[in-house]
Amino acid sequence: MPRVKQTGRNMLFVIAVVSVYLALVISPTDSTADSSYVAAVYEHKVILNPGPRTPVSRHEALQHMQKNLDIYEEQAARAAQQGAQILVFPEDGIHGFNFTRSSIIGYLETIPNPQEESWNPCTEPERHNNTEVLQRLSCMARRNNLYLVANMPDLQPCPLKTSPSSTCPPDGRWQFNTNVAFRSDGLLIARYHKQNLFFEQSFDTPPEVEVITFDTPFAGKFGLFICFDILFHDPAVVLVEMGVRQLIFPTAWMNALPLLDSVQFHSAFSLGANVTLLSANIRNDQRIMKGSGIYTPFSATYHHAWKGDPEEGRLLVARVPVLEPLEVKQSAAKEVEAGGVESASSVATDSGRCHQDSCDDHSPDSVHPSHSTFISFMFHDPFTFVLLNETQGDVKVCNGTFCCRLQYRWLLQDHKELYALGAFAGLHTVDGRYALQVCAVVRCAGLDQNSCGQVVEEAESKMDFLLAGNFDTKYVYPSILTSRMFLEQPESLQKAPDGKVTMKHSNMKGGLVTTCLYGRMYHLDNE
């Protein structure tokens, strides 16, 4: 059976962290006293329409969707038996994907706006026509007495206008990729339309960004967004900066190593943004879709299938703390900015200290490159790399004016794998457009430097390291991904007022695949 993984090989690491994103101290006391809740996410092997580009009748579409909903029913009951108070299903999990604008019509339901109308589809099924999926989801939540979030396609009529500036589609209807949330009694309480579409020709971008939350009695406020949204400012960062500490994230995530594997980046977002993220993914091996998790800033319960594992669904259930409102920690944040090294490293062991002759905290810009650099592409971006050929070292690499520094020591001096430190600052333009500043240590696919940046899933080499960069953004997402897609929690993270971010780690449990500081320059996305 596939394994459920926890950060650090089934150990719960609770560490003091200076949040890269919000400059807050995170610790076990960063939750309401004795307050926690049980969350569940389901990674679903979706039953697909074999001919998604051919239109089908409403009856045929319902027959298809009921097959996936039957599985949802089983998993909702299992989650409830394990005490789950909230359950999240993935993006596209009910209907599938690869539809055209016209072929998806049979799957669409018009979802009322819960902000304008109070409706319980389970107890009032006759109020709205053609809402069979909404009714079933509502009754699922009600029957199992849990909050439930699912993803489905929504149809909203819009008036045709003759104005050339009208955003109404020519056919007079909006089609949205949509999250719906139900209260434990079946009441529809939230509806969110996906803002950042990923080549989804069957759906429209909403005319205005939607920032949608709902309240629960057990954990306060939850925010909603979907898949590709996590790479952009709106609405994900808007929710975080509103102080929303619990985020719900249905996704159909296609893994993109070395930097954007599902568990790697979703846990990095949780840590960097100082939030809990409930991430439910699709399982589809043909499209490299796998990897779901329940992430907090100091723990992770996740599942990432490995080669040879059965292609099947996976229910994850975990008890997680209710995080305190952000404003409670503002005094601590100021203290950290003034000199929080002690706070950040107070739980670090001696083995976590750097192993060079000098351990002073240089700026990455103050260390002169000690090795020749080369350019190699990583996820279509031209990174500047320097090889890590010594048993230990202190190296720097720059891409333009953006520089990264690595202090490292290999735990085994005779390791056979090739590694490199890479830096990139610029606009990513393949399969999306977003501005980046990235520091990354990667295992190269072979022993030639041209293989650095290629996909690698396994590694044996382990290092103690300190990775640092001077970022021009406060939005930096840290990750450590080891062999066979295991996560490790950084030993410490620090952010200085001048934008320098430092991640330190030692005593690695698994061979290093990638460690990364992934900075997002949201303000430059459209330049």
Side-chain angles (χ1 to χ4, degrees):
M1 292 292 291
R3 292 170 294 175
V4 175
K5 307 172 186 175
Q6 287 190 310
T7 302
R9 298 297 198 280
N10 298 317
M11 295 179 64
L12 180 64
F13 279 74
V14 182
I15 60 174
V17 176
V18 180
S19 172
V20 175
Y21 195 121
L22 296 168
L24 303 173
V25 174
I26 307 169
S27 72
T29 59
D30 189 39
S31 58
T32 305
D34 300 322
S35 181
S36 63
Y37 64 101
V38 180
V41 301
Y42 181 61
E43 181 167 306
H44 177 46
K45 182 190 175 185
V46 58
I47 299 171
L48 296 170
N49 177 339
R53 307 185 78 80
T54 301
V56 297
S57 67
R58 174 63 176 172
H59 175 72
E60 292 170 316
L62 279 173
Q63 283 187 315
H64 170 212
M65 291 189 287
Q66 297 294 1
K67 295 176 182 177
N68 287 303
L69 288 166
D70 288 344
I71 299 172
Y72 279 23
E73 289 274 10
E74 297 171 0
Q75 298 304 321
R78 288 186 61 211
Q81 290 168 1
Q82 297 180 56
Q85 294 161 278
I86 187 166
L87 170 61
V88 182
F89 290 111
E91 180 187 24
D92 300 333
I94 297 173
H95 55 285
F97 34 74
N98 288 340
F99 295 95
T100 67
R101 185 172 182 82
S102 59
S103 70
I104 202 173
I105 291 176
Y107 292 82
L108 302 175
E109 294 189 5
T110 298
I111 306 170
N113 186 350
Q115 298 176 354
E116 299 174 355
E117 174 184 350
S118 179
W119 178 45
N120 189 317
C122 188
T123 60
E124 303 173 277
E126 305 303 324
R127 185 189 293 188
H128 295 284
N129 296 326
N130 298 316
T131 54
E132 292 88 345
V133 173
L134 285 166
Q135 293 169 31
R136 191 158 183 195
L137 292 170
S138 169
C139 291
M140 204 180 299
R142 184 180 179 88
R143 183 180 305 110
N144 294 287
N145 191 33
L146 47 71
Y147 280 66
L148 185 149
V149 177
N151 178 269
M152 60 185 290
D154 180 25
L155 180 152
Q156 295 292 327
C158 64
L160 288 172
K161 297 179 181 178
T162 56
S163 168
S165 62
S166 171
T167 58
C168 182
D171 52 20
R173 65 177 184 271
W174 296 109
Q175 297 179 184
F176 295 123
N177 181 336
T178 308
N179 284 345
V180 287
F182 298 88
R183 203 168 63 185
S184 55
D185 62 357
L187 186 74
L188 178 66
I189 54 173
R191 181 195 71 185
Y192 165 70
H193 295 138
K194 185 178 182 181
Q195 177 66 28
N196 300 284
L197 300 177
F198 187 79
F199 304 101
E200 299 168 65
Q201 64 182 106
S202 57
F203 293 125
D204 299 301
T205 300
E208 295 180 355
V209 176
E210 299 181 357
V211 181
I212 303 297
T213 64
F214 63 89
D215 291 305
T216 67
F218 52 84
K221 198 176 297 293
F222 284 82
L224 293 168
F225 61 115
I226 302 170
C227 201
F228 206 37
D229 285 335
I230 201 171
L231 283 171
F232 297 92
H233 186 275
D234 301 337
V237 175
V238 176
L239 287 164
V240 173
E241 296 190 337
M242 286 171 51
V244 180
R245 302 297 302 279
Q246 280 86 217
L247 298 177
I248 291 175
F249 183 61
T251 183
W253 190 274
M254 292 182 288
N255 291 320
L257 287 164
L259 302 179
L260 293 175
D261 183 80
S262 55
V263 301
Q264 172 191 22
F265 190 72
H266 304 163
S267 64
F269 185 88
S270 167
L271 182 56
N274 190 16
V275 295
T276 292
L277 184 72
L278 307 183
S279 170
N281 199 4
I282 289 290
R283 176 71 188 279
N284 186 297
D285 289 353
Q286 182 180 356
R287 294 172 176 82
I288 325 177
M289 293 174 172
K290 61 183 79 173
S292 301
I294 299 169
Y295 307 104
T296 79
F298 37 80
S299 67
T301 299
Y302 61 103
H303 167 65
H304 194 299
W306 187 244
K307 302 168 187 175
D309 287 345
E311 189 172 350
E312 60 188 12
R314 184 73 170 192
L315 179 69
L316 301 176
V317 182
R319 180 171 290 279
V320 293
V322 178
L323 302 181
E324 287 184 354
L326 291 175
E327 58 269 20
V328 174
K329 290 291 184 179
Q330 291 308 308
S331 60
K334 294 176 183 177
E335 185 177 318
V336 169
E337 290 180 347
V341 174
E342 292 80 11
S343 297
S345 61
S346 60
V347 298
T349 62
D350 287 344
S351 62
R353 296 172 183 166
C354 47
H355 296 272
Q356 287 64 245
D357 292 335
S358 173
C359 288
D360 56 336
D361 198 16
H362 294 295
S363 162
D365 295 326
S366 67
V367 181
H368 297 291
S370 54
H371 299 82
S372 60
T373 61
F374 62 96
I375 302 295
S376 188
F377 280 80
M378 185 154 60
F379 197 50
H380 309 286
D381 295 321
F383 275 69
T384 303
F385 282 104
V386 59
L387 295 177
L388 308 179
N389 285 327
E390 308 297 329
T391 57
Q392 64 182 43
D394 187 342
V395 298
K396 168 189 157 186
V397 65
C398 299
N399 185 263
T401 59
F402 174 68
C403 296
C404 305
R405 176 196 179 186
L406 177 72
Q407 295 177 330
Y408 70 98
R409 180 180 71 93
W410 292 110
L411 301 188
L412 292 176
Q413 297 184 5
D414 60 346
H415 67 94
K416 303 292 194 296
E417 298 160 323
L418 184 66
Y419 282 79
L421 168 68
F424 174 74
L427 190 65
H428 175 88
T429 58
V430 177
D431 294 341
R433 180 184 176 91
Y434 40 92
L436 301 172
Q437 285 185 333
V438 180
C439 295
V441 178
V442 297
R443 188 208 148 186
C444 307
L447 297 179
D448 184 278
Q449 68 181 32
N450 294 327
S451 70
C452 298
Q454 296 177 11
V455 173
V456 173
E457 296 182 335
E458 295 185 84
E460 297 180 358
S461 305
K462 304 172 185 178
M463 67 162 69
D464 293 345
F465 68 86
L466 181 151
L467 177 64
N470 271 77
F471 290 84
D472 297 319
T473 175
K474 65 179 179 179
Y475 307 106
V476 181
Y477 306 102
S479 64
I480 303 171
L481 186 68
T482 64
S483 190
R484 299 169 66 97
M485 308 300 104
F486 279 92
L487 299 172
E488 295 197 17
Q489 194 87 344
E491 192 170 271
S492 69
L493 290 167
Q494 300 176 38
K495 180 183 184 300
D498 63 358
K500 180 181 177 182
V501 178
T502 304
M503 174 167 57
K504 184 188 294 185
H505 193 55
S506 62
N507 298 319
M508 296 186 69
K509 307 297 187 297
L512 180 63
V513 171
T514 308
T515 183
C516 179
L517 295 171
Y518 194 94
R520 275 290 283 114
M521 308 281 285
Y522 298 114
H523 61 289
L524 299 179
D525 284 358
N526 297 319
E527 292 192 1

